[in-house]
Amino acid sequence: MTTTATAHTNIALIKYWGKKDPILNLPTTSSISLTLNEFYTRTTVSQNASADELLINGQPFDSQRIHRFLDMLRDTLGDFAPLTVASENHVPTGAGLASSASAFAALTGAVTRELGLELDNMTLSRLARRGSGSASRSFYGHFAIWHEGHDDASSFAESLHAPDMPIALVVAEVSTAMKKVGSTEGMRRAATSPDYATWVQNSAAQLRDMQAAIQASDIEKIGTIAEANALAMHDLNRTARLDPFTYFTNDTTDILTLVADMRRQGLLAFATLDAGPNVKIITTQAHAPLIVSQLQAAMPDLHLEIATSGAGIHYDD
């Protein structure tokens, strides 16, 4: 018997950047995301191995992070036989496009289904959070919120039940290389910034404003809030007292300048960035091709893709 689950990556519009409990993966702030249709992980698990085995895109892969996560599931759900885990990852790994979100959401869903457990998405989000915090949001389509919580039971994600809207993201892939500073290490350094407490406070206010903007289908306001939140997050990295750093490259900076120029021209264009150099431009489906055209004219070698709102986790019959 095998079980296959597909989960889509998500892009945080209100960021998660810091942990108040690294063991339980409890974040310092709540966060809001948009699930993306075009980037996803498809994971198949089967109980036919002598030891846990991992394949990514058909190649053997050794990940202590995934081994630890499977052992956590055994501790939580009860012991189960070794698994073969085969994942097809349709998103660049470790480049700031939330590959771990879709990966751990798909893995959690596939494992629990393979074990015959029918768990609701809220419970699954709490489990997946232990592997990757942002994975908690990938169980839901469209817009989701991850509540920071104060313990394991209260830190979970749920759908915002948002109305349909013609939102789109232009994904500008500056690099598909593994980032030099991993997210966990980046968060640890960023927390030493003198501005960190202010960022946490501002994030709470932006979270409330973002929920209102989403329910109003106000894409311009969604983009305005998301860009302010993301740029302030990246400022923490540069102002960290402990080993300051940046994920930005020269291309990243050039794209941000172009986004601001397009906005002055009247296009809906707002930038957000996760832990990596790649830029996601929040816009409408009507404006997205225009943004792609302008970026291609200015930076011909830039890989661009338009992403739209995606579905929550789903399973093969």
Side-chain angles (χ1 to χ4, degrees), residues 70-267:
L70 291 174
D71 288 341
M72 182 279 296
L73 290 180
R74 291 183 172 97
D75 291 341
T76 304
L77 304 174
D79 197 20
F80 51 84
L83 299 176
T84 295
V85 177
S87 286
E88 300 170 10
N89 208 26
H90 297 267
V91 53
T93 301
L97 283 166
S99 59
S100 65
S102 56
F104 277 93
L107 176 61
T108 304
V111 169
T112 54
R113 280 289 184 101
E114 176 67 11
L115 298 177
L117 302 174
E118 295 291 336
L119 303 180
D120 60 42
N121 282 341
M122 188 178 295
T123 302
L124 291 172
S125 79
R126 290 176 47 244
L127 290 171
R129 186 199 73 233
R130 299 288 298 276
S132 167
S134 56
S136 64
R137 302 185 302 249
S138 278
F139 292 93
Y140 304 95
H142 210 29
F143 293 94
I145 182 169
W146 172 22
H147 302 285
E148 61 176 286
H150 58 271
D151 59 13
D152 183 56
S154 58
S155 184
F156 60 87
E158 62 180 329
S159 172
L160 281 177
H161 303 291
D164 290 336
M165 66 185 80
I167 194 168
L169 265 72
V170 175
V171 180
E173 292 185 21
V174 171
S175 173
T176 59
M178 291 288 291
K179 55 203 174 196
K180 294 181 180 179
V181 179
S183 295
T184 298
E185 173 63 15
M187 291 179 201
R188 187 179 72 87
R189 297 189 198 180
T192 68
S193 168
D195 301 322
Y196 191 78
T198 300
W199 183 79
V200 170
Q201 184 178 22
N202 289 343
S203 182
Q206 290 169 330
L207 185 103
R208 293 189 294 270
D209 291 344
M210 181 64 79
Q211 290 182 80
I214 289 170
Q215 294 304 326
S217 299
D218 189 337
I219 296 175
E220 182 174 7
K221 189 173 182 181
I222 289 169
T224 300
I225 298 167
E227 183 173 279
N229 181 265
L231 294 180
M233 183 198 94
H234 282 272
D235 283 341
L236 297 174
N237 303 335
R238 288 188 284 268
T239 58
R241 290 193 176 103
L242 174 66
D243 296 331
F245 68 102
T246 183
Y247 290 115
F248 289 13
T249 66
N250 290 337
D251 284 346
T252 303
T253 303
D254 289 345
I255 294 168
L256 294 177
T257 300
L258 290 166
V259 168
D261 289 343
M262 285 186 276
R263 197 157 60 233
R264 283 190 287 270
Q265 297 169 24
L267 289 176

Side-chain angles (χ1 to χ4, degrees), residues 223 226-228 230-231 256 259 263 269-273 279-282:
E227 183 173 279
L231 294 180
L256 294 177
V259 168
R263 197 157 60 233
F270 301 89
T272 186
L273 306 93
V279 183
K280 279 71 67 175
I281 302 161
I282 301 163

